[in-house]
Amino acid sequence: MTRVAVFISGGGSNMVSLLEDMARPGHAGRPCVVLSNTASAGGLAKAQAMGVTTAVVDHRPFGGDRAAFEAALDAALAPFEPDLICLAGFMRKLTAGFTDPRAGRMINIHPSLLPKYKGLHTHARALDAGDGVHGCTVHEVTAALDDGPILGQAQVPVLPGDTPDTLAARVLVQEHRLYPAVLRRFAAGDRTPLFLES
Ligand code: GAR
């Protein structure tokens, strides 16, 4: 059994897709906690409704002191003894002090075909570049933002008339396919990259 912590900052739709899949047969992972850096994250109530314990570590009292914030994250996580952490729309950068001890045990979903468009506003940047194909990536987390070994990607077409919002919605559908599929394999020890067609 692999104990999985999920970190969120917002609505948590990717988190829900992970929790739903962990409840299905044959999954090596089990959720141990859903943690948010903000108490207003809509995903917290969804996790509770699915019977998963939640925790909040608000980053704001720490100001720019990332080490102190990460020490508080460590302390909040410790009782749940996670084997893996899944970042699912978690919008705080994590430093090497948090990521290095968890190398190979923390994964993230990012809404672009990495290595393209690390950081924010990925859909607008794909449109501005005139890309015909866009998508999402699940990767292992390292101290470098949106970097680390790629575990899976799913592509979507960019269609005439797309806006950042329409493109984001098309990508999100694929996020909800890709992330559970990658976690299921990863929790079972399979790190072979998974490439999904839309
Ligand atoms: C998702 O599109 C995820 O890929 C993105 O935030 C959204 C969260 O949605 N993550 C990032 O941009 C990470 N830098 P959700 O809360 O509904 O899962």
Side-chain angles (χ1 to χ4, degrees), residues 10-15 88-91 108-111 119 146 172 175:
S13 69
N14 275 291
M15 170 211 75
F90 185 68
M91 303 307 278
N108 178 47
I109 188 153
H110 183 72
D146 300 327
L172 195 60
E175 294 186 42

Side-chain angles (χ1 to χ4, degrees), residues 14-180:
N14 275 291
M15 170 211 75
V16 168
S17 73
L18 298 179
L19 298 184
E20 284 177 347
D21 198 46
M22 282 189 270
R24 295 187 187 108
H27 203 304
R30 290 290 178 275
C32 60
V33 66
V34 167
L35 186 148
S36 175
N37 64 301
T38 169
S40 63
L44 290 168
K46 295 176 192 168
Q48 288 159 13
M50 296 174 80
V52 179
T53 303
T54 60
V56 175
V57 180
D58 191 337
H59 62 279
R60 289 170 299 185
F62 299 99
D65 189 345
R66 290 185 186 272
F69 170 59
E70 290 171 2
L73 282 180
D74 259 329
L77 273 180
F80 300 100
E81 300 183 336
D83 302 304
L84 289 181
I85 296 174
C86 294
L87 307 183
F90 185 68
M91 303 307 278
R92 303 302 301 170
K93 290 179 186 168
L94 295 166
T95 73
F98 192 84
T99 61
D100 282 359
R102 298 177 173 83
R105 296 190 295 120
M106 180 154 48
I107 65 179
N108 178 47
I109 188 153
H110 183 72
S112 77
L113 294 174
L114 290 173
K116 283 186 166 186
Y117 315 130
K118 297 176 181 181
L120 299 176
H121 311 301
T122 57
H123 310 299
R125 289 157 69 196
L127 288 173
D128 288 349
D131 291 353
V133 175
H134 185 46
C136 53
T137 303
V138 177
H139 64 95
E140 292 185 34
V141 175
T142 63
L145 182 68
D146 300 327
D147 208 84
I150 288 175
L151 296 167
Q153 289 187 317
Q155 298 189 350
V156 303
V158 179
L159 301 179
D162 261 338
T163 66
D165 283 350
T166 62
L167 189 51
R170 193 174 309 118
V171 171
L172 195 60
V173 171
Q174 297 306 314
E175 294 186 42
H176 297 162
R177 290 177 68 212
L178 180 70
Y179 207 0

